[in-house]
Amino acid sequence: MKKLNSLVTRLSMLACSVLFFSCHQNSSSPTDTPTTGEIKIGVDESFAPILESHVDTFMGLYKYAKINAQYAPEGQVMQALLQDSIRLAVATRPLNKEEKAAFEREKITPTVIKIAIDGIALIINKTNTDTTLTMQQVRDIFTGKATNWNQVTGAGTNGPITIVFDNSNSSTARYILDSINFKQPLPGNTYATKSNRNLVDYIAQNKNAIGVIGVNWISDRDDSTTTNFLDKVNVVGISTKTNPTSVEDYIQPYQAYLAQGTYPLRREVFIISREARTGLGTGFASFVSGDKGQRIILKSGLVPASMPVRIVGFSEEEE
């Protein structure tokens, strides 16, 4: 794990994406159709579990289709899309102003499809038994106002806080910078590991750490990876109230609360395609946003964009 001297600076250093995604997509000689051929796509690595299911299912249905999905930090994925190293991207934001301008210069009109609602989960060590924070406490931690757990009222541990992300270029880091810190830099006690798995292991081994992870990694309770993660760490419930009066004021990142909009750390998930014709990228995007693909998202514990979510009470869930 390495310390982030300036996470904001590292978020802009995306040159390695060219090496990661390798060669240029040759769109001048198309050989693929919506259900046949071979393409590369880039996926924000925080959605690896879900998109792996989509890719496997799609190729199982269409035996002449080959989707080469490459999982990387969101910054690298978006850079690869701009450089035409991948046909489409899965990311937690639509195109920004600069990216739109870059496509306009190439006379390309990208297709942007919302496919899900996701959340950001905060995880802590099992020995930190008070698993609730207010939004103000969350901001105090991520802006460096609170650097010791004894500054967080009700915390179940004491000692210097360590903030941990999966990667310095990740979408979760960008989310905290944009939506929690409002562009203020992260404090000096911020670190990054190499993957979500390493992140969970670090939190499990360090009692004063707090980690930031996509809900996708802890939401599918039928998945062995999810259950293994949940055995190692505690998930924080968050309240938007300044002075919560009961445990019901703290919301966990469950599917129902993402759907209702009551869990505060929510984000949307998009497929962004640069495909100018009806090729394999279009076919895969249609699959993910269609009935079968949306059911995979529903099962994963996230909120699908185009189908209703049944809200289930806790008593019913536990039976």
Side-chain angles (χ1 to χ4, degrees), residues 1-4 7 122-123 137-147 149 160-166 173 176 181 185-193 199 202-203 208-212:
M1 185 178 71
K2 60 183 178 180
K3 188 167 184 177
L4 301 183
L7 187 59
L122 304 182
I123 55 176
Q137 289 172 326
V138 171
R139 289 193 177 95
D140 287 347
I141 289 171
F142 286 103
T143 57
K145 184 177 180 180
T147 58
W149 284 108
I161 298 171
T162 301
I163 299 169
V164 188
F165 291 92
D166 58 329
I176 294 296
N181 286 28
L186 290 156
N189 58 327
T190 303
Y191 296 81
T193 62
L199 167 62
Y202 184 87
I203 300 299
N208 293 323
I210 182 168
V212 185

Side-chain angles (χ1 to χ4, degrees), residues 2-124:
K2 60 183 178 180
K3 188 167 184 177
L4 301 183
N5 294 323
S6 173
L7 187 59
V8 179
T9 301
R10 290 177 184 272
L11 283 170
S12 65
M13 296 175 63
L14 305 174
C16 60
S17 62
V18 180
L19 296 175
F20 182 86
F21 289 98
S22 67
C23 61
H24 187 282
Q25 288 275 351
N26 185 3
S27 57
S28 61
S29 302
T31 59
D32 56 282
T33 74
T35 57
T36 66
E38 182 173 359
I39 61 168
K40 292 179 182 177
I41 69 171
V43 180
D44 173 352
E45 60 190 358
S46 66
F47 298 104
I50 290 180
L51 264 295
E52 285 171 357
S53 295
H54 280 100
V55 169
D56 290 345
T57 302
F58 184 83
M59 292 194 300
L61 291 170
Y62 305 107
K63 62 180 181 178
Y64 297 112
K66 176 68 174 179
I67 306 290
N68 295 306
Q70 298 175 325
Y71 304 93
E74 184 180 73
Q76 292 183 21
V77 169
M78 297 303 287
Q79 189 72 6
L81 183 69
L82 289 173
Q83 295 173 341
D84 199 16
S85 298
I86 56 175
R87 189 78 63 85
L88 60 82
V90 178
T92 62
R93 62 172 179 82
L95 297 170
N96 60 33
K97 183 178 179 180
E98 292 76 17
E99 291 161 346
K100 289 179 180 178
F103 279 120
E104 286 175 3
R105 288 192 294 271
E106 294 186 53
K107 301 187 183 305
I108 294 174
T109 303
T111 301
V112 181
I113 305 170
K114 178 181 171 182
I115 60 170
I117 297 173
D118 179 36
I120 298 293
L122 304 182
I123 55 176
I124 56 178

Side-chain angles (χ1 to χ4, degrees), residues 257-316:
Y257 299 139
L258 290 172
Q260 291 173 331
T262 52
Y263 182 71
L265 306 184
R266 297 164 75 247
R267 59 182 183 172
E268 296 177 336
V269 187
F270 301 90
I271 283 183
I272 305 171
S273 173
R274 61 175 293 138
E275 196 168 73
R277 59 186 182 79
T278 307
L280 186 54
T282 300
F284 182 69
S286 297
F287 169 77
V288 176
S289 59
D291 181 70
K292 289 185 175 66
Q294 292 290 282
R295 290 185 183 279
I296 291 173
I297 290 172
L298 181 66
K299 179 187 177 299
S300 77
L302 300 190
V303 180
S306 62
M307 63 187 299
V309 175
R310 176 169 168 257
I311 306 300
V312 180
F314 283 113
S315 59
E316 186 174 347

Side-chain angles (χ1 to χ4, degrees), residues 125 127-128 148-149 157-163 203 205-210:
N125 187 269
T127 62
N128 194 346
N148 193 297
W149 284 108
T157 189
N158 182 34
I161 298 171
T162 301
I163 299 169
I203 300 299
Q205 296 165 16
N206 293 270
K207 68 175 184 177
N208 293 323
I210 182 168

